[in-house]
Amino acid sequence: MSTIGKALALLDTLSRLDKEAGLTDIARLCALDKATARRFLVELEKHGFVEQDLETRRYRIGSAPVRLARIREARFPLLRIAIPFIRTLAESSTETVHLSEFSAGRLSTVHVEDSPRAHRITVDVGSFLPFHATASGLAFLAFCPQAEIDEALAKPLEKFTDHTVVDPQLVRVMLDETAARGFSISHNGLEAGVVSTAAPIRTPNGHPIGCVAIAAPFSRITKAAIHEFGAQAAAAANAISEKYYGSERPMGTIPEIRRTD
Amino acid sequence: MSTIGKALALLDTLSRLDKEAGLTDIARLCALDKATARRFLVELEKHGFVEQDLETRRYRIGSAPVRLARIREARFPLLRIAIPFIRTLAESSTETVHLSEFSAGRLSTVHVEDSPRAHRITVDVGSFLPFHATASGLAFLAFCPQAEIDEALAKPLEKFTDHTVVDPQLVRVMLDETAARGFSISHNGLEAGVVSTAAPIRTPNGHPIGCVAIAAPFSRITKAAIHEFGAQAAAAANAISEKYYGSERPMGTIPEIRRTD
DNA sequence: AGCTGTGGTTCAAATAATGAACCATAAGCG
DNA sequence: CGCTTATGGTTCATTATTTGAACCACAGCT
């Protein structure tokens, strides 16, 4: 693997830790030599991607990504556009609504509007959403070209709960249903007791870039309500797609796109 | 230079471009071979730090920094803490107030609250603030250890306007004044017709991490008003420092700190 | 004292980065 | 139409960088 790749993987590892980490831990987690890890950290620090607490000598994510993120957002303001829709959806559904974005081969949570109810689902910003085990993942994949679906399902699928579907063939059935409906539904895929529905935000040529999802406790949700939420998520996702990419060809087609209707 | 450093420098260059850039331009701007630039871009793209527009083949900042920035902010929420203060200051002063953060050896703008007035100063988020030519830069440097001041003033100082002070000795005088007052004042340092005042946000041991600055058109500002704004900026910066780092030792001292009184 | 854990450094050996020359394609033009 | 000049992208022998076992220095503990 390239040096750059390893350094960025270190950054990724560091970002997924709950707390600041010491040199030895970082080296071990990244399967790097201590000397190598240190050189990477020093180099990343020079550019502001990590910073070292001078007292504890531990490392954390620096402020350079903040600057880059701001520039990215200024030029490509998905969040600014999406948040009002997410918020509206959270208010009307009174359930937790979250927005995810595809990045570096994975779907990660970029914004969450919590349900106002005491009994609610919580989703962490920054958390990853496995393709086969979350409504967001299914919604994303269902609208991807076949090649990407094959690639995602070629790897072994992790079983997060008793109900996680790990058979690629069954996942494909769910993808077909999702493509047909326009939104996905996931029962207890990642965590027990949670039901979610999601719909993809897509480029003008139909390729997904992220998802809008609604998550609710299984105990209080009827089948009809799930479908209603799904339809609302799809409407919001489409509205975001349209606003994000301008009004040029709201929804085009790419050859491989999956459609049933 | 290390490969990682070169790749991150490429990312930095890309971030400072106004628009998306092609391979040849990027290679030229970074003084890299086309093949090398391409390998870097591919590697950065794998990790989501850049993305390529599939139609124009041009590259832009990707969404990975957005994820990292969110995590950084979640754990280290300077902005969340600072924004209310900045906003209050913008309202009370009716001038443009901005917040900068030190990162990768430079001071960059991370938040701006615009003046409600029609005639106002505009500051771009993401823009860099030279140490010798802006109120923020002076305020930051004035509270740095002597070694860092020497380092910053060792390089040639760029002349942005007719009034930019580029003589290191004169800059040192301004730093002494700033340290004595607790806030800096800059007249026409970066742009003509602008007067700014700034104060540093500091760690508990006194080291600056960023600045709060107020910028106003020279034409409508009296000397008394500038000093009043400066005092307000200093109060806001101290309040942010205190809230950001908890209430432990609101303002300590480091041996090398500059004091005139 | 000695032990064990940190963070951090060194330098010969191993490996990955480099870039001149290359291809393919597209646009501009006499 | 063919020629020129751009572009993005690729190859592979040469070269420079990365690598990691062994090494300090220090701190806390028994």
Side-chain angles (χ1 to χ4, degrees), chain B residues 53-260:
Chain B
D53 189 304
L54 290 174
E55 292 184 10
T56 65
R57 310 252 89 187
R58 288 170 180 288
Y59 298 88
R60 61 168 167 262
I61 298 293
S63 50
V66 178
R67 194 181 86 80
L68 293 179
R70 281 169 188 287
I71 287 165
R72 154 93 179 170
E73 275 290 308
R75 286 218 268 284
F76 234 71
L78 174 61
L79 262 192
R80 204 188 303 158
I81 287 167
I83 284 176
F85 291 94
I86 304 294
R87 200 161 286 159
T88 304
L89 208 48
E91 280 162 16
S92 70
S93 66
T94 71
E95 296 295 352
T96 298
V97 180
H98 61 279
L99 175 73
S100 57
E101 207 176 355
F102 181 78
S103 172
R106 287 175 298 192
L107 209 52
S108 62
T109 308
V110 296
H111 188 76
V112 180
E113 288 286 334
D114 280 317
S115 161
R117 302 191 184 209
H119 178 207
R120 67 188 182 209
I121 308 304
T122 61
V123 180
D124 290 331
V125 164
S127 61
F128 289 113
L129 304 167
F131 289 117
H132 68 290
T134 63
S136 298
L138 293 172
F140 187 89
L141 220 50
F143 292 91
C144 280
Q146 191 62 46
E148 291 180 35
I149 297 175
D150 294 341
E151 195 190 327
L153 299 182
K155 306 161 195 158
L157 305 179
E158 190 174 346
K159 196 161 181 69
F160 298 99
T161 74
D162 289 349
H163 295 80
T164 307
V165 177
V166 293
D167 177 347
Q169 284 316 312
L170 295 179
V171 174
R172 282 175 202 274
V173 171
M174 294 196 294
L175 292 179
D176 286 338
E177 289 168 4
T178 299
R181 259 197 311 256
F183 56 87
S184 63
I185 297 172
S186 168
H187 294 270
N188 311 308
L190 190 60
E191 272 196 51
V194 178
V195 57
S196 301
T197 177
I201 296 168
R202 296 195 277 163
T203 64
N205 60 30
H207 202 282
I209 61 157
C211 289
V212 174
I214 305 180
F218 182 71
S219 51
R220 71 161 164 250
I221 294 299
T222 64
K223 197 172 177 185
I226 295 169
H227 277 75
E228 177 54 30
F229 285 165
Q232 287 172 12
N238 287 337
I240 292 166
S241 307
E242 211 165 316
K243 200 160 184 180
Y244 188 44
Y245 287 107
S247 8
E248 25 145 347
R249 284 203 305 140
M251 227 13 74
T253 35
I254 50 174
E256 309 91 334
I257 200 137
R258 304 163 60 82
R259 283 197 197 287
T260 307

Side-chain angles (χ1 to χ4, degrees), chain A residues 239-254:
Chain A
I240 293 166
S241 307
E242 210 164 316
K243 200 161 186 182
Y244 188 42
Y245 287 107
S247 9
E248 26 146 347
R249 285 201 306 139
M251 234 3 79
T253 35
I254 50 173

